[in-house]
Amino acid sequence: MTDRSIAFVRTEYVEKLPAPKTTIGPVAWMREHLFSSIPNAILTFLGLYIIYLVVPPVIEFALVNAVWTGEGRDACLGSEGACWAYVGAYFEQFIYGRYPDAERWRVDLVFSAGALGLVPMLMPTVPFKRANAIFLLGVYPVAAFVLLTGGHVDLNGFLLPDALMAPSTLKFWVDYGIVAAVLAGGAAFLTAQAGADIRNTVRVVLGIFAILGLAIFFAGFDFGLERVETDVWGGLLVTLVVAITGIVASLPLGIVLALGRRSKLPAVRLMSVIFIEAWRGVPLITVLFMSSVMLPLFLPEGVTFDKLLRALIGVALFSSAYMAENVRGGLQAIPKGQYEGAQALGLTYWQMMGLIVLPQALKLVIPGIVNTFISLFKDTTLVLIIGLFDLLGQIQSSFTDPTWATPYTSHTGYLFAAMVFWAFCFSMSRYSIFMERRLDTGHKR
Amino acid sequence: MAGARTAEEAAKKVAWINDPRIRGLAYQIVLIAIIVLLGYEFIHNAALNLEKQNIASGFGFLKNTSGFAIVQTLIDYSEESSYGRVFFVGLLNTILVAVIGIVLATVIGFVVGIARLSNNWVISRVATVYVELVRNIPLLLQLFFWYFAVLRSLPNPRQSLEISGSVFLNNRGFFLPKPVFGEGAGLIGIALIVAIVATVAIRFWAHRRQDRTGRIFPVFWTGVGLLVGLPLVAFLVAGMPVTLDYSVLKGFNFVGGLRVIPEFVGLVLALSIYTATFIAEIVRAGILAVSHGQTEASYSLGLRPGPTLRLVVIPQAMRVIIPPLTSQYLNLTKNSSLAVAIAYPDLVSVFAGTVLNQTGQAVEVLLITMLVYLGLSLVTSLFMNWYNARMALVER
């Protein structure tokens, strides 16, 4: 250390050097993500080659070479691309099938009412969920049934012999009243045996019958709508009717089966397990065959269901087995303390399930239910095998029309169907992922 | 029970109807009664209806002559064969499609599932788009696409696509050379068996040696060498007894060789490409389920990336992967019944389709068909449960 040492102290900072080119910017990104090693570079080129093989031809087919307008096959014959003019000409059929032109507003009304009821239901932040659910599961199905079929179902009665009273709507209501009275009486007797208040029981039983009766009343009431038989239904209408009825009908059945499978009563548990595993073990096609060929054999003479209803029964039973397994997953995820807490409060089995366990369990299985719905939605295409015309069936049957017969008609039709199904399924799967994230509040493992 | 109230007193106060045992018994009796009643009603109605339509019942029809031809049969079958024979032909065709579909779907699924996790941006994006695109489109639509739009619009046999004059692809199917085993071909089979036994023995020995000395023996490459080399040597020693029978264009179609019908190709393509997307997601989830700490711990022990994946990550991932993988295999098997839509002669198509239409014995035919699928499902899930249990034991 000498006196002459003059310390050099800089008063300002040096300009920051930019980070080396090799660590930031697109070049560095590409080095890290595309060409980090020789095998990786080969993979990158392989991926680019796959894209090159698939994407340009599809764009060329669907957009560049496509024919957008025209009347009849001549417009599309010359081109090497999609014939969208054909889809345009058939668009209404793809949605409504052969539903009469003058009555299509009814289908539109059902679609839009369904969307109006469903959208707020799906958004977790929108209030009035209970009223919304009552509308969607109670009011809407009856209204949709009346609008789509025209309602005015013939009610003939089912209990009293015809000699006593001629078949008529009145007879149906008399029969209905008798059944309600007998069941309410039986329940009242059992309640009295248990030493509890019978008024409550009678009120509950009669209430259920009144609500059911109201639905039947509206289905049978003549609103002046023209009757539309289900064999003229088709296209997206059938796809949605099968999928939505399947899922809505399978929900209560699935809950009952799931509870049955976890029941302590051996006979109930055994029956539930057999039912669930039998349906889950067979393909949907055999179920549809069964409902279209075997079901009519099982019914007494004179009772016939139309083809759509038979398919709906098959689909509902089939999906209820899957629904049951979903719900069972939810039931198992509820901690045992919840069950014990409910029992300690002195709740009955149904109170415990209805007020404590199921509300929590069903919330947990919403993603699973949406996933079941997605696979059911895709599986509805199978109904074309038993001769119903869903969206795919309608498209498939339009290929036989000589006015639009070109080499690329079928490609165009399949592309259109694929886009529609993909849009539905992809958005549902996004929703399911969204709900999963939202419901994953940390108490699950 | 507190105070003066004894248990007996309390029991007296409870009405018989509130006794959970009596209630449970009553519920079960009611349930069984309803089921028996419904079953009786169904059987009774079915018997009446069948009698009215003049349809025989019972399983006697299985011995009757079928009278129709089937395009693909794995066992001897002719139009004079019985319906029982039709059943086996259909069953074998179903199993063939299911097995080949499962193998292909597993391979594609594992490749795509790993590709989705790749560091390589292009590869992971391509894999993601494939999965999201394919699994959201109905299988039946994909089947129609492959069969009607792709395979049916291939050129006719005269302009077929070919690979070096031995493999041909046209709208009549996929034509491959067929191996013909001459005299002495059995030696190759023996060599293959010897190679398998030797590989297993070497693996055992190598394990023991590694435990003892810590030295690693390259079992994998030795095994590959043995499995390929020994049969090859046997092939040369026996004087090349295997020849290939090529397909030859004669008139309007090919003769000789091995013809794979387009229905089969379409069905296998659709099934494996569709199911592979689900398997890819399962594989991805399985690998992600192994925490990163496992990989880091393995690296810090000095294992290289290859052994880390093979010895640390995959065994743990498999435990997560296998149960859902089983249900995908079952799904694929059940989905193979879509064959009926393109007339591939599987069980549903020939038995629940043609035989049912010819005999009208819907109850018996559908019962047999459903029992077969149920049986296949149960066997697969039993096997997988066993495998799963074995895998789970590795834990400790």
Side-chain angles (χ1 to χ4, degrees):
Chain A
M1 293 201 188
T2 60
D3 301 335
R4 294 190 61 223
S5 75
I6 304 167
F8 174 75
V9 179
R10 279 190 73 127
T11 47
E12 77 275 14
Y13 287 109
V14 186
E15 273 291 305
K16 259 192 213 158
L17 283 175
K21 280 251 163 51
T22 50
T23 56
I24 61 158
V27 175
W29 182 86
M30 274 166 66
R31 274 183 88 132
E32 193 187 330
H33 291 280
L34 301 180
F35 302 105
S36 64
S37 64
I38 291 171
N40 214 345
I42 296 173
L43 278 180
T44 304
F45 285 118
L46 187 76
L48 290 175
Y49 183 65
I50 294 174
I51 295 172
Y52 167 75
L53 275 187
V54 176
V55 176
V58 170
I59 290 178
E60 228 161 71
F61 177 81
L63 300 173
V64 180
N65 291 335
V67 178
W68 298 88
T69 53
E71 304 285 326
R73 63 197 289 257
D74 299 328
C76 296
L77 263 187
S79 88
E80 288 277 287
C83 185
W84 294 120
Y86 141 79
V87 173
Y90 263 97
F91 191 71
E92 297 237 308
Q93 250 204 43
F94 290 164
I95 293 190
Y96 306 105
R98 293 187 293 117
Y99 209 89
D101 278 348
E103 307 294 327
R104 283 182 183 169
W105 62 270
R106 281 152 56 174
V107 182
D108 294 337
L109 193 61
V110 169
F111 282 167
S112 37
L116 273 181
L118 197 61
V119 169
M121 192 72 201
L122 293 181
M123 291 196 287
T125 48
V126 176
F128 309 120
K129 281 281 181 281
R130 182 181 280 264
N132 206 335
I134 290 174
F135 170 73
L136 263 186
L137 297 175
V139 181
Y140 180 69
V142 179
F145 172 79
V146 170
L147 275 170
L148 289 178
T149 61
H152 197 21
V153 177
D154 288 329
L155 300 171
N156 286 326
F158 48 91
L159 199 66
L160 295 172
D162 287 353
L164 208 65
M165 196 175 179
S168 64
T169 313
L170 186 67
K171 177 171 179 283
F172 173 83
W173 290 114
V174 172
D175 289 349
Y176 192 80
I178 293 172
V179 172
V182 167
L183 279 180
F189 171 72
L190 289 177
T191 320
Q193 286 290 312
D197 186 13
I198 59 167
R199 269 177 303 178
N200 198 24
T201 320
V202 173
R203 208 181 296 136
V204 169
V205 174
L206 290 184
I208 292 172
F209 269 92
I211 291 171
L212 258 177
L214 206 64
I216 298 174
F217 171 75
F218 278 116
F221 189 76
D222 186 4
F223 287 94
L225 293 169
E226 195 190 320
R227 184 80 69 87
V228 181
E229 296 300 331
T230 54
D231 47 353
V232 298
W233 298 15
L236 193 63
L237 171 63
V238 165
T239 299
L240 289 175
V241 164
V242 173
I244 292 176
T245 318
I247 212 77
V248 171
S250 71
L251 194 60
L253 208 53
I255 292 174
V256 170
L257 284 169
L259 292 177
R261 197 170 180 164
R262 282 171 64 79
S263 161
K264 288 195 193 73
L265 310 174
V268 174
R269 194 171 54 224
L270 186 70
M271 293 296 161
S272 305
V273 170
I274 291 177
F275 186 92
I276 292 171
E277 294 305 327
W279 288 114
R280 274 161 37 100
V282 297
L284 180 56
I285 289 194
T286 56
V287 175
L288 289 173
F289 273 170
M290 199 186 88
S291 62
S292 75
V293 188
M294 236 156 92
L295 197 64
L297 288 179
F298 286 154
L299 296 172
E301 217 195 336
V303 180
T304 47
F305 289 167
D306 72 33
K307 218 195 281 175
L308 182 68
L309 184 57
R310 281 182 306 202
L312 283 178
I313 293 173
V315 167
L317 291 177
F318 181 78
S319 54
S320 69
Y322 287 85
M323 191 59 83
E325 287 300 273
N326 260 334
V327 175
R328 187 167 71 112
L331 290 178
Q332 277 170 348
I334 303 299
K336 210 165 174 224
Q338 298 287 326
Y339 292 87
E340 289 166 351
Q343 281 163 349
L345 284 175
L347 300 186
T348 65
Y349 176 82
W350 291 106
Q351 282 171 333
M352 170 177 78
M353 285 301 169
L355 298 173
I356 310 288
V357 178
L358 279 176
Q360 301 181 67
L362 289 183
K363 211 167 123 191
L364 285 179
V365 296
I366 290 176
I369 293 176
V370 177
N371 287 339
T372 312
F373 184 65
I374 295 174
S375 53
L376 182 65
F377 189 78
K378 287 185 289 179
D379 281 345
T380 54
T381 50
L382 302 194
V383 298
L384 76 88
I385 292 171
I386 57 164
L388 289 168
F389 292 99
D390 75 317
L391 179 61
L392 185 57
Q394 203 75 50
I395 289 174
Q396 185 86 353
S397 74
S398 72
F399 297 155
T400 52
D401 178 8
T403 18
W404 285 101
T406 72
Y408 293 107
T409 306
S410 65
H411 295 66
T412 312
Y414 290 141
L415 187 60
F416 175 71
M419 290 190 317
V420 173
F421 278 109
W422 187 83
F424 271 99
C425 296
F426 185 71
S427 43
M428 285 189 283
S429 77
R430 289 288 110 177
Y431 178 73
S432 151
I433 291 170
F434 160 73
M435 280 313 280
E436 215 164 307
R437 294 235 171 93
R438 213 188 130 79
L439 293 172
D440 188 15
T441 42
H443 61 265
K444 277 193 295 177
R445 261 200 307 143
Chain B
M1 283 289 142
R5 274 179 70 188
T6 60
E8 280 132 58
E9 258 175 74
K12 259 184 223 157
K13 285 196 104 173
V14 174
W16 61 273
I17 199 165
N18 281 341
D19 185 338
R21 272 175 310 169
I22 295 179
R23 277 192 170 202
L25 212 62
Y27 287 143
Q28 297 184 66
I29 289 171
V30 168
L31 178 75
I32 292 173
I34 290 175
I35 288 171
V36 168
L37 217 69
L38 269 180
Y40 171 77
E41 182 74 14
F42 282 170
I43 292 168
H44 179 71
N45 285 333
L48 277 183
N49 283 323
L50 287 173
E51 204 174 323
K52 196 155 285 168
Q53 294 172 21
N54 264 332
I55 296 172
S57 53
F59 293 92
F61 73 100
L62 288 173
K63 292 203 182 69
N64 296 356
T65 309
S66 68
F68 62 92
I70 298 177
V71 281
Q72 178 191 302
T73 56
L74 297 179
I75 48 174
D76 283 336
Y77 172 83
S78 71
E79 288 170 32
E80 280 97 58
S81 303
S82 65
Y83 286 133
R85 195 84 179 160
V86 173
F87 167 77
F88 285 110
V89 169
L91 180 61
L92 285 175
N93 282 341
T94 291
I95 292 174
L96 180 74
V97 151
V99 168
I100 293 184
I102 283 173
V103 171
L104 269 179
T106 310
V107 171
I108 303 174
F110 270 76
V111 168
V112 174
I114 293 168
R116 265 197 91 170
L117 294 171
S118 162
N119 248 345
N120 190 315
W121 188 81
V122 175
I123 289 291
S124 68
R125 278 313 113 114
V126 168
T128 307
V129 169
Y130 162 73
V131 169
E132 290 296 348
L133 202 65
V134 171
R135 72 169 175 168
N136 283 319
I137 295 173
L139 176 59
L140 189 62
L141 177 56
Q142 296 186 36
L143 186 61
F144 281 167
F145 170 77
W146 288 112
Y147 182 66
F148 290 116
V150 175
L151 293 169
R152 276 285 160 194
S153 43
L154 283 172
N156 60 35
R158 283 172 173 259
Q159 278 125 27
S160 44
L161 312 167
E162 58 177 287
I163 304 166
S164 67
S166 56
V167 178
F168 302 91
L169 187 64
N170 55 49
N171 60 8
R172 297 286 181 85
F174 195 37
F175 294 87
L176 301 163
K178 185 182 187 176
V180 178
F181 296 100
E183 223 171 286
L187 196 63
I188 301 174
I190 294 167
L192 191 66
I193 293 168
V194 170
I196 291 171
V197 171
T199 310
V200 172
I202 287 175
R203 183 167 176 268
F204 185 69
W205 166 80
H207 235 150
R208 295 273 300 269
R209 195 183 72 147
Q210 196 187 343
D211 283 349
R212 220 171 45 241
T213 64
R215 275 159 62 208
I216 298 171
F217 185 81
V219 178
F220 179 74
W221 292 113
T222 337
V224 169
L226 276 175
L227 287 174
V228 175
L230 268 186
L232 199 70
V233 170
F235 174 67
L236 293 173
V237 167
M240 299 198 253
V242 182
T243 49
L244 290 176
D245 176 20
Y246 291 101
S247 306
V248 190
L249 184 64
K250 233 180 207 171
F252 291 107
N253 207 348
F254 282 87
V255 286
L258 188 70
R259 176 180 173 229
V260 185
I261 55 173
E263 290 82 13
F264 179 84
V265 179
L267 191 58
V268 165
L269 270 178
L271 281 176
S272 51
I273 287 176
Y274 179 75
T275 314
T277 60
F278 294 92
I279 295 180
E281 285 299 275
I282 291 167
V283 169
R284 188 174 74 106
I287 292 176
L288 284 180
V290 180
S291 83
H292 196 56
Q294 296 283 331
T295 318
E296 284 170 350
S298 164
Y299 285 159
S300 70
L301 284 175
L303 267 75
R304 279 169 293 141
T308 300
L309 200 66
R310 204 154 41 80
L311 301 172
V312 178
V313 177
I314 286 180
Q316 299 186 67
M318 279 320 258
R319 223 179 293 153
V320 185
I321 290 172
I322 281 170
L325 193 62
T326 323
S327 61
Q328 284 309 320
Y329 288 170
L330 286 178
N331 275 350
L332 188 143
T333 311
K334 286 187 280 173
N335 282 336
S336 72
S337 60
L338 291 188
V340 68
I342 57 167
Y344 170 76
D346 85 322
L347 183 65
V348 171
S349 177
V350 293
F351 193 67
T354 318
V355 172
L356 191 151
N357 286 335
Q358 284 192 1
T359 62
Q361 295 199 295
V363 180
E364 292 88 347
V365 168
L366 283 174
L367 198 68
I368 295 175
T369 314
M370 289 174 119
L371 281 179
V372 165
Y373 280 102
L374 210 56
L376 281 179
S377 299
L378 289 180
V379 168
T380 315
S381 52
L382 279 183
F383 169 75
M384 281 294 175
N385 282 346
W386 167 80
Y387 184 73
N388 206 13
R390 226 183 64 114
M391 271 298 191
L393 275 184
V394 183
E395 211 171 17
R396 268 176 228 283

